[in-house]
Amino acid sequence: MKTGTRTALRPELLLSEPQKRILWHLRAAGPTPRVHLAEAMGMNGATMTRVTQQLSALGLVEERDSDAATGRGRPMIPLAICGRGGWSAGATLHPGWLEITVVDFAGTPLLRDSIPFTDPDPRMFARALDTQLRALVAQHGFMRGKFLGLGVAVPGYALQGDRNRRKMVDWMAPWNDAPLDEILGDVLGVPVWIENDGTAAALAEYYRPQIVGAYRSVLVFFLGHGVGAGLIAERDLFPGEHRNAGEVGRLFPGHGPRPSGIDLMRELKEAGAAITSLSEIAGLLESHAAVIEAWADRVAAQLEQAVLSGIVWLDPGAVVISGALPQSVLDGLATRLDAINTARDRGYLAATPQIHASTLGSAAVVIGAALAPIHAITAIRM
């Protein structure tokens, strides 16, 4: 994938604030005629025409067919985000395998791939990823357009406020305090964004049409091998002073029961189940229903204060329960937390956030990693 020297690794797409505002409006509201865009954004018609023509020339927006008639003259043609405007890739490392996803500019996942991988060296990870991305580029014609960058989601918190230097889980110890953007960027030769896996999951959840179109701020919990979270505030990632906002795993020390998928696996094993990965939980939903229900009751109680704290500080429009767990388990946790919040908030007259269960499952992390370059290029900084 290498295309140039290390010093040249910058996003290829630089947008103005008016261009970003239009893209975000279209992402949130869906296809919209120029006249309505101008009204919503306080722009005059000439400015709107000029800016949308620029976006169209970049391939980032396109006109859509419209059945609406205006009575006379040309019908109002809606503009929409154009997926062909570019593509980005996301990657994450699991024990024993490497996962890759590609998304287009609209945020639509185009493919999801995985390969066996066990080497803990980040340079070897970069080389394996480079080889696999080259193979995917050769196989898929849609990837001949503008490449916007690579996002890598990692299970580790930032050190010294540097998103590119992190303390990782034990099996990724060689990644600790390494300049990951330089290491990966030097091998791959592309712009690289490093994100915590909970933050990446939050980005994926927020870009779902039913979420981005309804809310400006969202709190996301991701339950997988550990427990993490991410915050979207006013349509942008909220990193925190030290870039560790959402590091909720600290609330649940590893020496005790935790609201994580690995914790559920442990309980299932203690109940006699032969299980070696999170993906096998779905096959135990009926045979071990009582164990899973008891675990969900306990986890909802554990998460209550974390959810409540996030709600009172962030005032989000929604809370999303995401993770590498079966859909029915995520649904059950969301239902339990909603019931807890409803009971506690009885008599509270202000609006309270909706609690949603994710439908992305374990893919949320790698999809969010792939969205990181697109978000970085288009986000409106307050």
Side-chain angles (χ1 to χ4, degrees):
M1 295 292 292
K2 186 166 284 191
T3 58
T5 64
R6 180 74 184 93
T7 56
L9 297 183
R10 299 189 302 271
E12 294 184 20
L13 193 59
L14 298 176
L15 301 176
S16 68
E17 288 302 304
Q19 290 171 334
K20 293 178 181 180
R21 288 178 59 209
I22 289 171
L23 289 172
W24 265 104
H25 187 93
L26 293 175
R27 198 175 292 283
T32 308
R34 287 180 177 84
V35 63
H36 294 166
L37 271 174
E39 292 173 358
M41 305 185 67
M43 290 185 184
N44 61 49
T47 300
M48 178 59 62
T49 297
R50 175 176 55 80
V51 178
T52 55
Q53 284 176 343
Q54 294 167 351
L55 291 171
S56 180
L58 291 169
L60 304 182
V61 301
E62 61 184 354
E63 293 185 344
R64 294 281 176 86
D65 292 335
S66 174
D67 296 328
T70 58
R72 54 177 153 168
R74 188 184 180 205
M76 290 189 291
I77 306 297
L79 284 179
I81 299 282
C82 180
R84 297 184 302 278
W87 62 279
S88 60
T92 192
L93 190 58
H94 305 275
W97 55 292
L98 187 162
E99 184 178 11
I100 303 170
T101 284
V102 171
V103 302
D104 66 17
F105 188 73
T108 304
L110 302 175
L111 65 85
R112 188 178 178 194
D113 190 32
S114 63
I115 57 172
F117 184 80
T118 58
D119 196 310
D121 187 333
R123 291 173 181 82
M124 296 306 295
F125 166 86
R127 290 169 187 162
L129 182 56
D130 181 62
T131 298
Q132 194 64 10
L133 282 174
R134 287 177 181 275
L136 293 172
V137 168
Q139 293 169 15
H140 298 280
F142 59 76
M143 295 168 69
R144 294 174 187 154
K146 186 178 295 180
F147 178 65
L148 303 176
L150 170 71
V152 178
V154 296
Y157 57 84
L159 298 173
Q160 291 82 49
D162 185 348
R163 69 194 303 168
N164 297 306
R165 292 180 178 269
R166 295 180 177 267
K167 173 64 173 71
M168 301 293 198
V169 293
D170 291 344
W171 58 273
M172 292 180 68
W175 294 56
N176 285 342
D177 202 17
L180 296 176
D181 61 334
E182 295 180 14
I183 291 172
L184 303 182
D186 284 344
V187 173
L188 290 151
V190 298
V192 176
W193 282 261
I194 308 296
E195 291 290 357
N196 171 267
D197 49 9
T199 300
L203 199 56
E205 298 294 351
Y206 187 67
Y207 270 64
R208 288 193 293 152
Q210 61 269 44
I211 301 294
V212 72
Y215 310 108
R216 298 192 313 277
S217 299
V218 174
L219 174 63
V220 176
F221 290 85
F222 188 85
L223 314 183
H225 287 87
V227 52
L231 295 80
I232 303 292
E234 294 299 323
R235 302 197 186 283
D236 198 5
L237 288 171
F238 180 80
E241 183 78 11
H242 306 292
R243 296 194 174 276
N244 285 316
E247 190 66 20
V248 297
R250 297 177 62 193
L251 300 174
F252 310 102
H255 58 264
R258 310 185 80 211
S260 71
I262 291 297
D263 183 78
L264 176 55
M265 281 180 58
R266 177 186 57 78
E267 295 208 359
L268 289 168
K269 287 179 180 178
E270 291 177 356
I275 181 172
T276 59
S277 73
L278 295 177
S279 63
E280 296 171 2
I281 294 174
L284 301 172
L285 292 175
E286 293 187 11
S287 61
H288 290 71
V291 175
I292 294 171
E293 287 294 306
W295 176 86
D297 288 339
R298 187 254 292 171
V299 165
Q302 282 184 295
L303 288 176
E304 178 187 3
Q305 285 304 309
V307 172
L308 177 61
S309 297
I311 289 173
V312 299
W313 284 106
L314 181 63
D315 188 26
V319 175
V320 180
I321 307 301
S322 182
L325 296 169
Q327 187 66 53
S328 62
V329 176
L330 295 176
D331 289 340
L333 286 172
T335 298
R336 286 170 170 83
L337 286 165
D338 188 59
I340 290 171
N341 282 345
T342 299
R344 183 187 55 244
D345 293 337
R346 190 171 290 116
Y348 182 65
L349 300 182
T352 55
Q354 298 292 309
I355 298 183
H356 300 259
S358 170
T359 58
L360 296 178
S362 63
V365 169
V366 73
I367 291 173
L371 286 166
I374 293 173
H375 185 78
I377 289 166
T378 60
I380 302 169
R381 307 302 179 191
M382 297 306 214

